[in-house]
Amino acid sequence: MTTALRRIIFIAAIAVIWEVTSRFSSLPDFMFPSLSQVLETLFNGIINGQITLAIGKSMGRILLGFTIAIVVGLILGYFIWRYKIVEDTLGFVVTALQSIPSIVWFPLAIIWFGLNDFSILFIVTIGATWTMTVNATSGFKNVPQLYQRVAKVYGSGGFHFLRTVILPASVPQIISGLRIAWAFSWRALMAGELLGGGGGLGQLLEMGRSLGQMDLVISVMIIIAIIGTIVDNVVFSRLERSVEVKWGIRGR
């Protein structure tokens, strides 16, 4: 039995149990909606554009915030790896900041930027930057010294040395960092939209809660899970496999 078939059977079993349990449960529909009710709400939300518009807003925010986090994280990681004084100062602070949940920054973001898109974008970026920095630093540090010595013997230096030796050899670690950073930024986005509004999937969750529409809440939760699964399994998993094949860690 293939992995895909196992997953399909497992999800189908959960769906049947959910539908049967909800129909025989004594709980009202607004507390424990049936799967058919949730799917109907999901379908209607996609058709009338309510859910698709929210997906577009959320994806726009996370792509921008995640891109900024990648750039900043790589730059900070490079300086922490390259200069001892930066590692002893900024590197220590980054390690401490990584332990702070991104949503904790939200009150400060509201004071600094107001209750708007900038606040949400800020915590999305913060949610991924420190993780990206730590993983980039680790990747740069783990480049074999043999590679570096050989490159310097042949006259490589400066940006050429960084581009042809350090970055390629750090790619496996950087990809792991991207994967973790995406998960943190995705969660930060949902929390920010849930508290700050401004459209997006998080605001739909809050709207469903305030109106007592648990079918809408669960519909949005399903969308959030699907997007997260697609990004992790389609984008990062394929990227990771291609790197492993290139480096000879696994066969084609």
Short mmCIF file of all heavy atoms in Angstrom, two decimals, residues 163-226:
data_model
loop_
_atom_site.label_atom_id
_atom_site.label_comp_id
_atom_site.label_asym_id
_atom_site.label_seq_id
_atom_site.Cartn_x
_atom_site.Cartn_y
_atom_site.Cartn_z
N ARG A 163 30.01 33.57 -2.92
CA ARG A 163 29.04 33.09 -3.91
C ARG A 163 29.34 31.66 -4.37
O ARG A 163 28.40 30.88 -4.59
CB ARG A 163 29.01 34.02 -5.11
CG ARG A 163 28.04 33.62 -6.20
CD ARG A 163 28.04 34.65 -7.32
NE ARG A 163 29.34 34.78 -7.95
CZ ARG A 163 29.78 33.97 -8.92
NH1 ARG A 163 29.01 32.98 -9.35
NH2 ARG A 163 30.98 34.15 -9.46
N THR A 164 30.60 31.31 -4.52
CA THR A 164 30.95 30.01 -5.10
C THR A 164 31.29 28.93 -4.09
O THR A 164 31.28 27.75 -4.42
CB THR A 164 32.16 30.18 -6.05
OG1 THR A 164 33.28 30.70 -5.31
CG2 THR A 164 31.82 31.11 -7.19
N VAL A 165 31.58 29.32 -2.85
CA VAL A 165 31.98 28.32 -1.85
C VAL A 165 31.03 28.31 -0.65
O VAL A 165 30.40 27.27 -0.35
CB VAL A 165 33.43 28.58 -1.37
CG1 VAL A 165 33.83 27.55 -0.31
CG2 VAL A 165 34.39 28.54 -2.53
N ILE A 166 30.90 29.43 0.03
CA ILE A 166 30.16 29.47 1.29
C ILE A 166 28.67 29.21 1.09
O ILE A 166 28.08 28.32 1.73
CB ILE A 166 30.38 30.81 2.01
CG1 ILE A 166 31.86 31.02 2.32
CG2 ILE A 166 29.57 30.86 3.30
CD1 ILE A 166 32.46 29.95 3.20
N LEU A 167 28.05 29.96 0.19
CA LEU A 167 26.60 29.81 -0.01
C LEU A 167 26.22 28.43 -0.53
O LEU A 167 25.31 27.78 0.01
CB LEU A 167 26.08 30.91 -0.93
CG LEU A 167 25.90 32.29 -0.28
CD1 LEU A 167 25.45 33.30 -1.33
CD2 LEU A 167 24.90 32.23 0.86
N PRO A 168 26.89 27.90 -1.59
CA PRO A 168 26.51 26.56 -2.07
C PRO A 168 26.67 25.47 -1.01
O PRO A 168 25.83 24.59 -0.90
CB PRO A 168 27.47 26.33 -3.25
CG PRO A 168 27.83 27.70 -3.71
CD PRO A 168 27.88 28.53 -2.47
N ALA A 169 27.74 25.55 -0.24
CA ALA A 169 27.97 24.52 0.78
C ALA A 169 27.02 24.66 1.96
O ALA A 169 26.82 23.71 2.73
CB ALA A 169 29.42 24.60 1.28
N SER A 170 26.41 25.83 2.11
CA SER A 170 25.49 26.06 3.22
C SER A 170 24.04 25.78 2.85
O SER A 170 23.16 25.86 3.73
CB SER A 170 25.61 27.52 3.70
OG SER A 170 26.92 27.86 4.01
N VAL A 171 23.77 25.47 1.59
CA VAL A 171 22.40 25.33 1.11
C VAL A 171 21.57 24.33 1.91
O VAL A 171 20.42 24.63 2.27
CB VAL A 171 22.39 24.98 -0.39
CG1 VAL A 171 21.02 24.49 -0.83
CG2 VAL A 171 22.76 26.21 -1.21
N PRO A 172 22.07 23.12 2.23
CA PRO A 172 21.22 22.19 3.00
C PRO A 172 20.75 22.78 4.34
O PRO A 172 19.58 22.62 4.70
CB PRO A 172 22.15 20.98 3.22
CG PRO A 172 23.10 21.04 2.07
CD PRO A 172 23.34 22.49 1.83
N GLN A 173 21.65 23.43 5.05
CA GLN A 173 21.28 24.03 6.34
C GLN A 173 20.33 25.21 6.14
O GLN A 173 19.39 25.40 6.91
CB GLN A 173 22.54 24.50 7.06
CG GLN A 173 22.30 25.02 8.46
CD GLN A 173 22.07 23.92 9.48
OE1 GLN A 173 22.61 22.82 9.33
NE2 GLN A 173 21.25 24.18 10.48
N ILE A 174 20.56 25.97 5.10
CA ILE A 174 19.71 27.13 4.82
C ILE A 174 18.29 26.68 4.48
O ILE A 174 17.31 27.30 4.90
CB ILE A 174 20.30 27.98 3.70
CG1 ILE A 174 21.58 28.69 4.18
CG2 ILE A 174 19.29 29.02 3.20
CD1 ILE A 174 22.31 29.45 3.11
N ILE A 175 18.16 25.60 3.72
CA ILE A 175 16.84 25.09 3.37
C ILE A 175 16.09 24.64 4.63
O ILE A 175 14.89 24.88 4.78
CB ILE A 175 16.95 23.95 2.35
CG1 ILE A 175 17.41 24.50 1.00
CG2 ILE A 175 15.61 23.24 2.18
CD1 ILE A 175 17.62 23.44 -0.04
N SER A 176 16.79 23.98 5.54
CA SER A 176 16.16 23.60 6.81
C SER A 176 15.69 24.84 7.56
O SER A 176 14.61 24.85 8.16
CB SER A 176 17.16 22.82 7.67
OG SER A 176 17.54 21.62 7.05
N GLY A 177 16.50 25.90 7.50
CA GLY A 177 16.10 27.14 8.13
C GLY A 177 14.89 27.76 7.48
O GLY A 177 14.00 28.28 8.16
N LEU A 178 14.82 27.69 6.15
CA LEU A 178 13.66 28.21 5.43
C LEU A 178 12.39 27.48 5.85
O LEU A 178 11.34 28.10 6.04
CB LEU A 178 13.87 28.06 3.92
CG LEU A 178 14.90 28.97 3.25
CD1 LEU A 178 15.10 28.56 1.80
CD2 LEU A 178 14.46 30.42 3.34
N ARG A 179 12.50 26.19 5.98
CA ARG A 179 11.34 25.37 6.33
C ARG A 179 10.81 25.74 7.71
O ARG A 179 9.60 25.91 7.91
CB ARG A 179 11.74 23.89 6.28
CG ARG A 179 10.61 22.93 6.11
CD ARG A 179 11.16 21.55 5.82
NE ARG A 179 10.11 20.63 5.43
CZ ARG A 179 10.33 19.40 4.96
NH1 ARG A 179 11.58 18.99 4.81
NH2 ARG A 179 9.33 18.62 4.63
N ILE A 180 11.71 25.87 8.67
CA ILE A 180 11.30 26.21 10.03
C ILE A 180 10.80 27.65 10.09
O ILE A 180 9.80 27.97 10.74
CB ILE A 180 12.47 26.01 11.01
CG1 ILE A 180 12.91 24.53 11.00
CG2 ILE A 180 12.07 26.43 12.42
CD1 ILE A 180 14.18 24.28 11.78
N ALA A 181 11.51 28.55 9.39
CA ALA A 181 11.13 29.96 9.40
C ALA A 181 9.74 30.16 8.79
O ALA A 181 8.97 31.00 9.25
CB ALA A 181 12.17 30.79 8.64
N TRP A 182 9.43 29.40 7.74
CA TRP A 182 8.11 29.51 7.13
C TRP A 182 7.02 29.12 8.13
O TRP A 182 5.98 29.80 8.24
CB TRP A 182 8.02 28.62 5.89
CG TRP A 182 6.62 28.52 5.36
CD1 TRP A 182 5.67 27.60 5.69
CD2 TRP A 182 6.00 29.40 4.41
NE1 TRP A 182 4.50 27.83 5.01
CE2 TRP A 182 4.67 28.94 4.22
CE3 TRP A 182 6.43 30.52 3.70
CZ2 TRP A 182 3.78 29.56 3.36
CZ3 TRP A 182 5.55 31.15 2.84
CH2 TRP A 182 4.24 30.67 2.67
N ALA A 183 7.25 28.04 8.87
CA ALA A 183 6.26 27.60 9.84
C ALA A 183 6.02 28.67 10.91
O ALA A 183 4.88 28.97 11.27
CB ALA A 183 6.71 26.30 10.50
N PHE A 184 7.10 29.29 11.39
CA PHE A 184 6.96 30.34 12.40
C PHE A 184 6.24 31.56 11.84
O PHE A 184 5.38 32.15 12.52
CB PHE A 184 8.34 30.74 12.93
CG PHE A 184 8.87 29.83 14.00
CD1 PHE A 184 9.92 28.97 13.75
CD2 PHE A 184 8.32 29.84 15.28
CE1 PHE A 184 10.42 28.13 14.73
CE2 PHE A 184 8.80 29.00 16.27
CZ PHE A 184 9.86 28.14 16.00
N SER A 185 6.59 31.97 10.63
CA SER A 185 5.96 33.16 10.05
C SER A 185 4.50 32.91 9.72
O SER A 185 3.66 33.80 9.85
CB SER A 185 6.73 33.61 8.80
OG SER A 185 6.74 32.60 7.81
N TRP A 186 4.16 31.70 9.28
CA TRP A 186 2.77 31.34 8.98
C TRP A 186 1.91 31.41 10.23
O TRP A 186 0.80 31.94 10.22
CB TRP A 186 2.74 29.95 8.35
CG TRP A 186 1.39 29.47 7.88
CD1 TRP A 186 0.74 28.35 8.27
CD2 TRP A 186 0.54 30.08 6.88
NE1 TRP A 186 -0.45 28.20 7.60
CE2 TRP A 186 -0.60 29.25 6.75
CE3 TRP A 186 0.64 31.23 6.11
CZ2 TRP A 186 -1.63 29.56 5.87
CZ3 TRP A 186 -0.39 31.52 5.24
CH2 TRP A 186 -1.50 30.69 5.12
N ARG A 187 2.44 30.89 11.33
CA ARG A 187 1.70 30.96 12.59
C ARG A 187 1.57 32.39 13.08
O ARG A 187 0.53 32.80 13.60
CB ARG A 187 2.41 30.10 13.65
CG ARG A 187 2.41 28.62 13.35
CD ARG A 187 3.36 27.87 14.25
NE ARG A 187 3.50 26.48 13.85
CZ ARG A 187 4.41 25.65 14.34
NH1 ARG A 187 5.25 26.08 15.26
NH2 ARG A 187 4.49 24.40 13.90
N ALA A 188 2.65 33.15 12.93
CA ALA A 188 2.61 34.56 13.35
C ALA A 188 1.58 35.34 12.54
O ALA A 188 0.88 36.20 13.07
CB ALA A 188 4.00 35.18 13.19
N LEU A 189 1.49 35.03 11.25
CA LEU A 189 0.51 35.72 10.39
C LEU A 189 -0.90 35.45 10.86
O LEU A 189 -1.72 36.38 10.97
CB LEU A 189 0.68 35.25 8.95
CG LEU A 189 -0.38 35.74 7.96
CD1 LEU A 189 -0.27 37.25 7.78
CD2 LEU A 189 -0.27 35.03 6.62
N MET A 190 -1.22 34.20 11.14
CA MET A 190 -2.57 33.86 11.59
C MET A 190 -2.90 34.55 12.91
O MET A 190 -4.00 35.07 13.11
CB MET A 190 -2.72 32.34 11.74
CG MET A 190 -2.66 31.58 10.44
SD MET A 190 -3.94 32.08 9.26
CE MET A 190 -2.97 32.99 8.07
N ALA A 191 -1.93 34.57 13.82
CA ALA A 191 -2.16 35.22 15.11
C ALA A 191 -2.34 36.72 14.93
O ALA A 191 -3.21 37.34 15.56
CB ALA A 191 -0.98 34.94 16.05
N GLY A 192 -1.52 37.33 14.07
CA GLY A 192 -1.63 38.76 13.83
C GLY A 192 -2.95 39.15 13.21
O GLY A 192 -3.57 40.14 13.61
N GLU A 193 -3.38 38.38 12.21
CA GLU A 193 -4.66 38.67 11.57
C GLU A 193 -5.83 38.41 12.51
O GLU A 193 -6.85 39.10 12.46
CB GLU A 193 -4.81 37.84 10.30
CG GLU A 193 -3.87 38.25 9.18
CD GLU A 193 -4.06 37.42 7.93
OE1 GLU A 193 -4.70 36.34 8.01
OE2 GLU A 193 -3.56 37.82 6.88
N LEU A 194 -5.69 37.43 13.35
CA LEU A 194 -6.74 37.10 14.31
C LEU A 194 -6.96 38.24 15.30
O LEU A 194 -8.10 38.59 15.65
CB LEU A 194 -6.38 35.82 15.07
CG LEU A 194 -7.45 35.21 15.98
CD1 LEU A 194 -8.64 34.74 15.18
CD2 LEU A 194 -6.85 34.05 16.77
N LEU A 195 -5.86 38.88 15.71
CA LEU A 195 -5.95 39.95 16.70
C LEU A 195 -6.07 41.33 16.06
O LEU A 195 -6.72 42.22 16.60
CB LEU A 195 -4.71 39.93 17.61
CG LEU A 195 -4.51 38.69 18.46
CD1 LEU A 195 -3.19 38.77 19.21
CD2 LEU A 195 -5.66 38.50 19.44
N GLY A 196 -5.44 41.50 14.88
CA GLY A 196 -5.37 42.82 14.29
C GLY A 196 -6.32 43.10 13.16
O GLY A 196 -6.46 44.24 12.72
N GLY A 197 -7.01 42.08 12.66
CA GLY A 197 -7.94 42.28 11.57
C GLY A 197 -7.22 42.60 10.27
O GLY A 197 -6.16 42.06 9.98
N GLY A 198 -7.80 43.48 9.48
CA GLY A 198 -7.18 43.87 8.22
C GLY A 198 -7.40 42.86 7.11
O GLY A 198 -6.64 42.83 6.14
N GLY A 199 -8.41 42.04 7.22
CA GLY A 199 -8.64 41.03 6.20
C GLY A 199 -7.76 39.82 6.42
O GLY A 199 -6.97 39.76 7.35
N GLY A 200 -7.87 38.85 5.54
CA GLY A 200 -7.06 37.64 5.67
C GLY A 200 -7.80 36.51 6.36
O GLY A 200 -8.91 36.67 6.88
N LEU A 201 -7.16 35.36 6.39
CA LEU A 201 -7.77 34.17 6.97
C LEU A 201 -7.97 34.32 8.47
O LEU A 201 -8.95 33.82 9.03
CB LEU A 201 -6.90 32.95 6.66
CG LEU A 201 -6.81 32.55 5.18
CD1 LEU A 201 -5.75 31.48 4.97
CD2 LEU A 201 -8.16 32.05 4.68
N GLY A 202 -7.02 34.98 9.14
CA GLY A 202 -7.15 35.17 10.58
C GLY A 202 -8.37 35.97 10.95
O GLY A 202 -9.05 35.69 11.93
N GLN A 203 -8.70 36.99 10.14
CA GLN A 203 -9.89 37.79 10.42
C GLN A 203 -11.16 36.98 10.20
O GLN A 203 -12.16 37.16 10.91
CB GLN A 203 -9.92 39.04 9.56
CG GLN A 203 -11.03 40.01 9.96
CD GLN A 203 -11.06 41.25 9.11
OE1 GLN A 203 -10.72 41.20 7.94
NE2 GLN A 203 -11.46 42.37 9.69
N LEU A 204 -11.13 36.08 9.21
CA LEU A 204 -12.30 35.21 9.01
C LEU A 204 -12.51 34.31 10.22
O LEU A 204 -13.65 34.04 10.61
CB LEU A 204 -12.10 34.35 7.76
CG LEU A 204 -12.48 34.97 6.41
CD1 LEU A 204 -12.35 33.92 5.31
CD2 LEU A 204 -13.89 35.54 6.44
N LEU A 205 -11.41 33.84 10.81
CA LEU A 205 -11.53 33.04 12.04
C LEU A 205 -12.21 33.85 13.14
O LEU A 205 -13.11 33.35 13.82
CB LEU A 205 -10.15 32.60 12.50
CG LEU A 205 -9.48 31.44 11.77
CD1 LEU A 205 -8.06 31.25 12.27
CD2 LEU A 205 -10.27 30.15 11.94
N GLU A 206 -11.78 35.08 13.31
CA GLU A 206 -12.36 35.93 14.35
C GLU A 206 -13.83 36.24 14.06
O GLU A 206 -14.67 36.27 14.97
CB GLU A 206 -11.55 37.22 14.47
CG GLU A 206 -12.13 38.26 15.42
CD GLU A 206 -12.29 37.75 16.84
OE1 GLU A 206 -11.59 36.77 17.21
OE2 GLU A 206 -13.10 38.33 17.59
N MET A 207 -14.15 36.46 12.78
CA MET A 207 -15.53 36.74 12.41
C MET A 207 -16.41 35.53 12.68
O MET A 207 -17.53 35.65 13.20
CB MET A 207 -15.62 37.12 10.93
CG MET A 207 -17.02 37.54 10.49
SD MET A 207 -17.06 38.10 8.78
CE MET A 207 -16.85 36.53 7.93
N GLY A 208 -15.92 34.34 12.35
CA GLY A 208 -16.69 33.13 12.62
C GLY A 208 -16.90 32.92 14.11
O GLY A 208 -17.98 32.50 14.54
N ARG A 209 -15.89 33.23 14.91
CA ARG A 209 -16.03 33.09 16.36
C ARG A 209 -17.06 34.07 16.91
O ARG A 209 -17.92 33.70 17.71
CB ARG A 209 -14.67 33.35 17.04
CG ARG A 209 -14.72 33.18 18.57
CD ARG A 209 -13.64 33.99 19.24
NE ARG A 209 -13.82 35.42 19.02
CZ ARG A 209 -14.65 36.17 19.71
NH1 ARG A 209 -15.43 35.64 20.65
NH2 ARG A 209 -14.76 37.48 19.48
N SER A 210 -16.97 35.35 16.47
CA SER A 210 -17.89 36.36 17.00
C SER A 210 -19.33 36.12 16.58
O SER A 210 -20.26 36.46 17.32
CB SER A 210 -17.44 37.75 16.53
OG SER A 210 -17.46 37.84 15.12
N LEU A 211 -19.53 35.50 15.42
CA LEU A 211 -20.89 35.21 14.94
C LEU A 211 -21.38 33.82 15.36
O LEU A 211 -22.52 33.46 15.07
CB LEU A 211 -20.94 35.32 13.40
CG LEU A 211 -20.66 36.70 12.81
CD1 LEU A 211 -20.67 36.64 11.29
CD2 LEU A 211 -21.68 37.73 13.31
N GLY A 212 -20.52 33.08 16.03
CA GLY A 212 -20.89 31.73 16.44
C GLY A 212 -21.00 30.75 15.29
O GLY A 212 -21.72 29.76 15.39
N GLN A 213 -20.30 31.00 14.19
CA GLN A 213 -20.32 30.12 13.01
C GLN A 213 -19.10 29.21 13.03
O GLN A 213 -18.08 29.50 12.41
CB GLN A 213 -20.35 30.95 11.73
CG GLN A 213 -21.61 31.77 11.55
CD GLN A 213 -21.59 32.57 10.26
OE1 GLN A 213 -20.54 32.93 9.76
NE2 GLN A 213 -22.76 32.84 9.72
N MET A 214 -19.21 28.09 13.75
CA MET A 214 -18.09 27.18 13.85
C MET A 214 -17.80 26.49 12.52
O MET A 214 -16.68 26.05 12.28
CB MET A 214 -18.36 26.12 14.93
CG MET A 214 -18.32 26.67 16.35
SD MET A 214 -16.73 27.43 16.78
CE MET A 214 -17.15 29.18 16.67
N ASP A 215 -18.81 26.41 11.65
CA ASP A 215 -18.55 25.84 10.33
C ASP A 215 -17.59 26.72 9.54
O ASP A 215 -16.72 26.22 8.82
CB ASP A 215 -19.86 25.64 9.56
CG ASP A 215 -20.70 26.91 9.52
OD1 ASP A 215 -20.52 27.78 10.39
OD2 ASP A 215 -21.55 27.03 8.62
N LEU A 216 -17.70 28.05 9.68
CA LEU A 216 -16.78 28.97 9.03
C LEU A 216 -15.39 28.86 9.65
O LEU A 216 -14.38 28.86 8.94
CB LEU A 216 -17.30 30.39 9.13
CG LEU A 216 -16.40 31.49 8.55
CD1 LEU A 216 -16.16 31.25 7.06
CD2 LEU A 216 -17.01 32.87 8.78
N VAL A 217 -15.34 28.77 10.97
CA VAL A 217 -14.06 28.66 11.67
C VAL A 217 -13.31 27.41 11.22
O VAL A 217 -12.12 27.45 10.87
CB VAL A 217 -14.27 28.63 13.20
CG1 VAL A 217 -12.96 28.29 13.92
CG2 VAL A 217 -14.80 29.96 13.68
N ILE A 218 -14.01 26.28 11.18
CA ILE A 218 -13.36 25.03 10.80
C ILE A 218 -12.99 25.05 9.31
O ILE A 218 -11.96 24.50 8.91
CB ILE A 218 -14.28 23.83 11.12
CG1 ILE A 218 -14.52 23.75 12.63
CG2 ILE A 218 -13.68 22.53 10.62
CD1 ILE A 218 -15.50 22.68 13.05
N SER A 219 -13.81 25.70 8.49
CA SER A 219 -13.49 25.83 7.06
C SER A 219 -12.17 26.56 6.87
O SER A 219 -11.32 26.14 6.07
CB SER A 219 -14.60 26.58 6.33
OG SER A 219 -15.84 25.89 6.41
N VAL A 220 -12.00 27.65 7.60
CA VAL A 220 -10.75 28.42 7.49
C VAL A 220 -9.59 27.61 8.04
O VAL A 220 -8.48 27.64 7.49
CB VAL A 220 -10.89 29.76 8.25
CG1 VAL A 220 -9.57 30.52 8.24
CG2 VAL A 220 -11.98 30.60 7.63
N MET A 221 -9.81 26.87 9.12
CA MET A 221 -8.75 26.01 9.67
C MET A 221 -8.30 24.98 8.65
O MET A 221 -7.11 24.67 8.53
CB MET A 221 -9.25 25.34 10.95
CG MET A 221 -9.43 26.28 12.13
SD MET A 221 -10.22 25.49 13.55
CE MET A 221 -9.00 24.24 13.96
N ILE A 222 -9.25 24.43 7.90
CA ILE A 222 -8.91 23.46 6.85
C ILE A 222 -8.06 24.12 5.77
O ILE A 222 -7.06 23.55 5.31
CB ILE A 222 -10.20 22.85 6.26
CG1 ILE A 222 -10.89 21.95 7.28
CG2 ILE A 222 -9.88 22.06 4.99
CD1 ILE A 222 -12.25 21.43 6.83
N ILE A 223 -8.44 25.33 5.37
CA ILE A 223 -7.67 26.06 4.35
C ILE A 223 -6.25 26.32 4.85
O ILE A 223 -5.27 26.15 4.12
CB ILE A 223 -8.37 27.38 3.99
CG1 ILE A 223 -9.68 27.11 3.25
CG2 ILE A 223 -7.45 28.26 3.14
CD1 ILE A 223 -9.49 26.47 1.89
N ILE A 224 -6.13 26.75 6.11
CA ILE A 224 -4.81 27.03 6.69
C ILE A 224 -3.94 25.77 6.68
O ILE A 224 -2.76 25.81 6.32
CB ILE A 224 -4.96 27.57 8.12
CG1 ILE A 224 -5.62 28.95 8.10
CG2 ILE A 224 -3.61 27.63 8.83
CD1 ILE A 224 -6.00 29.47 9.47
N ALA A 225 -4.55 24.64 7.06
CA ALA A 225 -3.80 23.38 7.08
C ALA A 225 -3.40 22.95 5.67
O ALA A 225 -2.28 22.46 5.45
CB ALA A 225 -4.64 22.29 7.75
N ILE A 226 -4.30 23.13 4.70
CA ILE A 226 -4.00 22.73 3.32
C ILE A 226 -2.85 23.56 2.76
O ILE A 226 -1.92 23.02 2.15
CB ILE A 226 -5.26 22.87 2.44
CG1 ILE A 226 -6.29 21.80 2.82
CG2 ILE A 226 -4.88 22.75 0.96
CD1 ILE A 226 -7.61 21.95 2.09
#
